Amino acid sequence: MKITKILVALSFLFAVSTAHAGEMTVTGSMQATYQSEPDKTTGNPLGMDREIKFAGSTELDNGMNMSVMQDFGDDGAFGDGKITFGNVGGLVDIYVGTDGSELDAIDDITPTAFEEANGSGSGTYQDVGTLAAEMGIGIKGSLPIIGTVQAQYIPKVDGAESGDKVASGDTSGSVGSGMEVVVKTALGDLPVVGSFLGGNTLTLGYAEDEVNLVANTTDGIEATVALTGSIGNLSYGYQVEHIDGGQTAAATDAVFYNVESIGLAYAINDALSISYNMMEQKQHNVAVDSSFEQETDAINIGYTVGGLTLGFQDASTDNANMVKDAKDDTRTISVKAAF
C-alpha cells in the first residue's frame, strides 16, 4: 500500500509532459596499482580497476528534467542503474533504482590526498552504507538553513536488483524494509554564528534496516556525524560512525562498532597534495575479547595533471581485523587515468 501511494503521487506530479532531445555522456577510468604487503605473502603486486558509466539527460516541457545512468563492473556486467526526475514540483529530485546509497556516499568523507586511511586494504573496518546495493526510491531537496536533505526507502532489503516487470518474490524472505536519510548543512549559512563557522560543513546520516522480521529481534542501525572544512590550503575533517548489525535471532546480543576517522590534507599547489589519515575502531561483542582498538595510520601523496592521477599511500594497522596484536601494513603506488 505504501508503494502504491508513492507511485500515485509521482504520477500526479509528473502529469503530462513532452521530452526534448537530450544528450548522452560516457565517463570512466582505469587504474593500475603496485601493492606491497609486508605482513602477508604479496604474490603478484600488480592490480587493475576499471570503471565506465553511461549517463543521459533531457528537459521536459513542464519544467522538470530527467536523467538516467548505468554503470558496469570490472567484468563488463551491468552494475548500478538509476532514473532521476529533477525539479519535481519545482522543489525536489526523485529517483528510482540503485547507485550506491545515501549513507554509502559519506562512509568516510574526511579529506585525503589519495585514499582514506584503510583505502588500500590496510586493516578491515566496518562502515555505514549497508543499503548500497539495494533497489529503492529516493528524494533530494534543499531546506533553508538546514541545507541539503537526501532520503531513500527500500521496500525490501533483499539484495535483488530485479529487471522491469519483475518482483523479487521470496528472495531473502526473512528480511524487511530499509530507509536512510542524510543532511548536509553549510555552517556558514546558520544565523548569528554563521560568520564564525564559514568554510565548515556538518554532515549527518542515519539508516535503519529490518534484518529479520522474527519477533524479539532488533533492526540494524547505522549513524554518522562528520565535520569537514578548510582554511587556506589546509583541509580537515573528523567523523564518527556507529554500526549496529541488529539481531538476526531472538534473544541474542547484537554486535556493534564505533569508528572514528581524522583527515588532514594540505595542497602544496594545484597539482600536488599530501595528507595524514587515521582510523580507529572499537567493537562490542560479548563472544570475543573487545578490550582493544583497531587503529590505522596512513600517509598519502597525490599528484594530478588533467585526467592523470598518481597516488601513493603508506599505511600501518595495529590489531588488524579486531585480532589482538595482528599487523596489516600496506604500501601502494597508483596510476589512474580518467576520461
Side-chain angles (χ1 to χ4, degrees):
M1 180 62 70
K2 187 179 295 184
I3 290 300
T4 301
K5 291 180 179 178
I6 292 173
L7 293 177
V8 170
L10 290 178
S11 299
F12 173 76
L13 288 171
F14 297 156
V16 177
S17 60
T18 302
H20 298 279
E23 63 179 21
M24 175 169 284
T25 60
V26 181
T27 57
S29 65
M30 184 167 286
Q31 181 179 22
T33 60
Y34 181 96
Q35 177 117 338
S36 173
E37 300 181 351
D39 301 298
K40 303 176 183 177
T41 301
T42 297
N44 189 338
L46 299 176
M48 184 77 72
D49 178 66
R50 313 158 193 82
E51 294 184 7
I52 188 168
K53 179 172 74 173
F54 289 81
S57 62
T58 188
E59 299 288 334
L60 306 178
D61 275 346
N62 58 0
M64 291 168 42
N65 58 73
M66 180 177 66
S67 62
V68 296
M69 65 77 60
Q70 176 67 59
D71 63 15
F72 299 84
D74 278 355
D75 59 357
F78 285 116
D80 292 332
K82 181 168 70 174
I83 180 170
T84 301
F85 298 93
N87 199 36
V88 178
L91 297 172
V92 299
D93 297 344
I94 298 176
Y95 68 82
V96 179
T98 177
D99 181 20
S101 75
E102 309 302 345
L103 244 65
D104 183 56
I106 61 167
D107 67 348
D108 184 354
I109 55 175
T110 58
T112 180
F114 171 50
E115 283 282 7
E116 58 194 67
N118 75 320
S120 293
S122 181
T124 302
Y125 286 81
Q126 303 294 317
D127 57 24
V128 297
T130 302
L131 301 176
E134 304 292 342
M135 290 280 286
I137 298 175
I139 187 170
K140 177 180 179 181
S142 296
L143 296 174
I145 301 177
I146 293 175
T148 301
V149 180
Q150 301 166 256
Q152 181 180 206
Y153 171 73
I154 296 93
K156 188 180 181 184
V157 186
D158 56 12
E161 296 186 18
S162 304
D164 63 316
K165 300 180 286 293
V166 177
S168 65
D170 198 34
T171 304
S172 301
S174 62
V175 302
S177 62
M179 59 76 65
E180 57 184 358
V181 60
V182 170
V183 178
K184 297 181 180 180
T185 303
L187 298 184
D189 294 339
L190 296 177
V192 183
V193 298
S195 59
F196 303 100
L197 300 175
N200 293 286
T201 300
L202 179 66
T203 302
L204 307 175
Y206 178 81
E208 289 185 1
D209 173 8
E210 292 181 306
V211 295
N212 201 313
L213 297 177
V214 173
N216 300 317
T217 59
T218 60
D219 295 343
I221 294 176
E222 298 175 347
T224 184
V225 179
L227 177 66
T228 55
S230 62
I231 301 175
N233 290 357
L234 176 67
S235 299
Y236 51 85
Y238 173 72
Q239 184 165 0
V240 178
E241 301 174 59
H242 175 79
I243 304 98
D244 183 341
Q247 295 171 305
T248 56
T252 58
D253 195 78
V255 178
F256 60 83
Y257 303 84
N258 291 322
V259 180
E260 295 182 60
S261 302
I262 293 175
L264 298 171
Y266 185 79
I268 297 173
N269 53 45
D270 290 341
L272 180 64
S273 60
I274 61 174
S275 71
Y276 166 74
N277 297 84
M278 184 275 290
M279 184 175 285
E280 290 182 349
Q281 176 175 284
K282 301 176 183 178
Q283 73 176 3
H284 168 83
N285 187 343
V286 298
V288 298
D289 181 7
S290 299
S291 63
F292 56 90
E293 302 175 357
Q294 177 180 198
E295 180 176 348
T296 300
D297 296 279
I299 299 295
N300 289 278
I301 301 174
Y303 183 79
T304 301
V305 179
L308 177 66
T309 299
L310 306 178
F312 170 78
Q313 182 181 82
D314 188 334
S316 176
T317 299
D318 294 324
N319 301 319
N321 199 21
M322 300 308 297
V323 177
K324 194 169 185 178
D325 298 325
K327 292 283 293 180
D328 185 8
D329 298 349
T330 61
R331 294 177 182 87
T332 306
I333 299 174
S334 167
V335 179
K336 184 176 182 179
F339 61 89

